[in-house]
């Protein structure tokens, strides 16, 4: 059988992705306290470049240091100075050394900025994140001038990474960060031209996309990561996502990556939040059980003709091949398996049947306490702790070139929390 995963993909702008496997964006936390990329990032992305993916997406690169998604994010909030230019170029060089694409995921964390980074982050409206634990502060609504400034910064960042040798950009409009907050009627209560009907809620995203396109020109890949839905009652729904996808196509976007969920409802990693999942109207196929969003992509490709990348849950090669063959995806995004098996794409292309499912083995609580995770208020804590295990693997890869999968979730959590403390101390001292 011809290997559909090995087929190149040509994007509307003319760029060619050498195969159908992409490493999805995963925040690395490996920049300096000033947001400059480090040699650990070069090592990590060098490994991934050697690992056979046609496309690597960076983790969140933030356009405002006061709105980090996580301590240790790369920050490009102005025209880069010489040191930043050099660090970005080194990173891009390592990440493309095998001839693959490397795109910058450009982002602003909005109200999902942690409280120690910013106790009063800017957001579309002053609607606080509904999570227990006091980790996130009371947001402040953006002014129109501030929204325009953010679009300008996305464009500056896109031009800077292009100059440094990145081969594309992705605007992050998913997972409950700023642009995704604009899309949701639950977090966007504005009554000006950025709030209300969907056309207004999508305006911030479309202005960012227009500014980015203008800054990189017509031949450079511009992608958007978009939620299929937030899966929350009264939130951004699948029918909204279909409409936004059509607008993005008209705006000249080259690829939409489909994901879903927010910190409040973490469907992106297949986890249920504190409130019930708001089911969406979509025809369910048998592929759904493995890949969380492929049915949404199947329905979306009837509305738009631009390529779709689908990320979340893919582990079996047969499911990936089926998604591509059925038109449900043009690119397959891989996340968690790549935190340990950096050459997962090469192995799949060589015939490996199935990737490891670390998510089925990892838990913060020992099995005799696992019943506690049924308590809704504990769920966010256990979800973050498991994420810290992946963070620790990325750090091991970046600093030492090897993952440490035998590490416990508890040990990883302690380590990441201690590092965050150190990071705040370093930032405070600088
Ligand atoms: C450690 C980790 C970090 C992540 N960081 C990001 C990120 O920076 N940007 C983003 O869009 N998604 C991020 N995600 C979500 C992934 O891109 C992906 O959507 C998710 O892991 C589901 O894919 P998977 O089932 O193959 O892991 C992250 C996921 C993990 C596990």
């Amino acid at each position: 059988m011809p290997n559909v995963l090995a087929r190149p993909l040509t994007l509307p702008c003319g760029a060619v992705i050498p195969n159908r496997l992409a490493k999805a964006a995963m925040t690395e936390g490996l920049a300096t306290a000033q947001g400059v990329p480090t040699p650990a990032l070069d090592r990590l992305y060098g490994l991934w470049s050697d690992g056979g993916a046609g496309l690597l997406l960076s983790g969140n690169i933030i356009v405002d240091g006061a709105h980090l998604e996580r301590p240790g994010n790369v920050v490009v909030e102005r025209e880069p100075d010489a040191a930043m230019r050099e660090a970005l170029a080194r990173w891009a060089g390592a990440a493309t050394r095998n001839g693959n694409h490397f795109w910058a995921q450009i982002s602003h964390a909005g109200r999902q900025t942690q409280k120690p980074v910013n106790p009063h982050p800017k957001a579309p409206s002053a609607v606080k994140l509904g999570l227990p634990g006091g980790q996130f502060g009371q947001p402040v609504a953006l002014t129109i001038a501030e929204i325009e400034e953010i679009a300008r910064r996305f464009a500056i960042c896109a031009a800077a990474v292009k100059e440094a040798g990145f081969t594309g950009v992705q605007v992050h409009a998913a997972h409950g960060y700023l642009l995704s907050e604009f899309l949701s009627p639950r977090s966007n209560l504005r009554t000006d031209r950025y709030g209300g009907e969907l056309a207004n809620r999508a305006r911030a995203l479309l202005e960012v996309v227009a500014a980015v396109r203008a800054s990189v020109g017509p031949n450079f890949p511009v992608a958007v990561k978009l939620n299929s839905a937030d899966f929350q009652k009264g939130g951004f729904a699948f029918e909204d996502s279909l409409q936004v996808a059509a607008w993005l196509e008209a705006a000249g976007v080259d690829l939409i990556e489909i994901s879903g969920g927010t910190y409040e409802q973490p469907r992106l990693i297949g986890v249920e939040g504190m409130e019930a999942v708001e089911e969406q109207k979509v025809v369910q196929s048998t592929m759904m059980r493995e890949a969380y969003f492929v049915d949404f992509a199947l329905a979306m490709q009837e509305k738009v003709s631009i390529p779709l990348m689908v990320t979340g849950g893919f582990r079996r090669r047969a499911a990936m091949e089926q998604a591509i063959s059925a038109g449900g995806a043009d690119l397959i995004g891989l996340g968690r398996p790549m935190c340990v098996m950096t050459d997962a794409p090469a192995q799949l292309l060589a015939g490996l049947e199935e990737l490891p499912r670390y998510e089925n083995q990892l838990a913060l609580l020992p099995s005799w306490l696992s019943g506690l995770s049924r308590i809704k208020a504990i769920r966010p804590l256990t979800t973050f702790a498991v994420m810290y295990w992946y963070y620790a693997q990325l750090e091991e890869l970046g600093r030492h070139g090897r993952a440490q999968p035998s590490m416990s979730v508890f040990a990883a959590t302690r380590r990441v929390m201690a590092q965050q403390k150190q990071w705040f101390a370093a930032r405070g001292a600088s």
Side-chain angles (χ1 to χ4, degrees):
M1 185 177 87
N3 190 347
V4 292
L5 299 179
R7 281 193 203 145
L9 174 70
T10 303
L11 300 176
C13 70
V16 179
I17 313 273
N19 64 49
R20 303 307 181 99
L21 297 170
K23 183 211 69 84
M26 286 189 287
T27 177
E28 310 91 2
L30 291 172
T32 67
Q34 291 71 38
V36 181
T38 58
L41 277 173
D42 307 343
R43 185 176 295 117
L44 175 61
Y45 280 79
L47 284 170
W48 277 330
S49 180
D50 295 343
L55 167 64
L56 303 178
L57 279 141
S58 77
N60 278 281
I61 296 181
I62 297 288
V63 297
D64 178 354
H67 292 88
L68 302 179
E69 163 272 332
R70 172 189 174 194
N73 285 146
V74 173
V75 180
V76 181
E77 55 184 3
R78 61 177 75 91
E79 305 267 352
D81 60 15
M84 179 58 122
R85 274 205 303 274
E86 207 181 295
L88 286 171
R90 259 204 330 263
W91 183 20
T96 53
R97 71 184 183 198
N98 202 32
N100 54 286
H101 271 262
F102 176 43
W103 295 357
Q105 183 183 64
I106 310 180
S107 180
H108 180 299
R111 68 175 183 161
Q112 290 188 163
T113 304
Q114 291 173 38
K115 213 179 199 172
V117 173
N118 190 339
H120 297 296
K122 296 287 170 71
S125 302
V127 182
K128 199 164 178 261
L129 205 58
L131 289 180
Q135 227 188 322
F136 300 92
Q138 174 65 46
V140 176
L142 285 157
T143 64
I144 287 189
E146 286 170 335
I147 297 171
E148 289 166 354
E149 167 62 14
I150 288 170
R152 205 178 64 84
R153 288 188 186 199
F154 269 82
I156 288 173
C157 178
V161 295
K162 182 182 178 196
E163 174 73 27
F166 288 64
T167 61
V169 291
Q170 182 186 64
V171 172
H172 196 349
H175 301 170
Y177 298 111
L178 184 75
L179 294 173
S180 156
E181 288 158 22
F182 269 101
L183 292 172
S184 165
R186 283 176 50 137
S187 46
N188 181 349
L189 308 180
R190 300 178 74 95
T191 52
D192 60 11
R193 63 177 191 267
Y194 292 100
E197 61 186 52
L198 183 61
N200 284 352
R201 283 182 277 124
R203 192 179 306 279
L205 168 61
L206 291 169
E207 287 181 358
V208 164
V209 165
V212 166
R213 176 56 84 198
S215 83
V216 297
N219 305 321
F220 194 71
V222 175
V224 171
K225 190 163 184 170
L226 183 69
N227 274 355
S228 49
D230 293 351
F231 299 95
Q232 293 181 292
K233 211 176 183 58
F236 182 67
F238 183 48
E239 61 204 50
D240 301 331
S241 184
L242 286 175
Q243 177 60 67
V244 173
W247 287 329
L248 292 173
E249 176 170 39
V253 162
D254 288 291
L255 177 118
I256 297 175
E257 179 183 355
I258 301 169
S259 185
T262 65
Y263 281 10
E264 290 175 340
Q265 187 58 279
R267 297 307 297 161
L268 54 144
I269 47 171
V271 171
E272 190 165 335
M274 287 169 57
E275 54 184 289
V277 171
E278 179 77 356
E279 297 300 345
Q280 307 292 310
K281 268 189 239 134
V282 67
V283 179
Q284 295 201 352
S285 71
T286 51
M287 284 188 269
M288 181 65 184
R289 239 163 278 141
E290 164 149 347
Y292 318 142
F293 306 112
V294 81
D295 289 343
F296 295 97
L298 268 168
M300 192 177 278
Q301 54 97 37
E302 287 177 13
K303 299 265 171 189
V304 296
S305 56
I306 55 175
L308 301 178
M309 169 169 161
V310 185
T311 303
F314 277 109
R315 301 293 179 262
R316 284 181 312 118
R317 181 164 55 87
M320 302 175 201
E321 288 171 348
Q322 198 191 349
I324 303 262
S325 306
D330 298 283
L331 275 180
I332 304 292
L334 301 173
R336 287 163 288 182
M338 299 289 286
C339 295
V340 176
M341 192 191 265
T342 56
D343 64 347
Q347 293 208 40
L348 288 166
L349 291 169
L352 180 70
E353 294 292 341
E354 189 164 346
L355 299 177
R357 295 170 194 265
Y358 303 109
E359 60 275 15
N360 291 352
Q361 296 140 28
L362 295 170
L364 174 65
L365 300 167
S367 54
W368 59 277
L369 280 178
S370 60
L372 283 179
S373 349
R374 279 199 295 275
I375 302 173
K376 286 181 179 174
I378 291 181
R379 266 187 223 155
L381 171 74
T382 54
T383 304
F384 275 111
V386 170
M387 287 298 269
Y388 291 166
W389 185 88
Y390 295 103
Y391 289 4
Q393 301 308 321
L394 296 183
E395 194 208 354
E396 285 294 317
L397 287 169
R399 298 211 192 283
H400 310 296
R402 322 175 49 136
Q404 246 198 63
S406 61
M407 189 185 301
S408 71
V409 172
F410 185 67
T413 302
R414 280 183 52 161
R415 172 163 147 178
V416 172
M417 290 178 82
Q419 279 166 346
Q420 294 199 353
K421 239 177 160 170
Q422 266 174 20
W423 186 94
F424 289 120
R427 192 174 76 153
S430 67

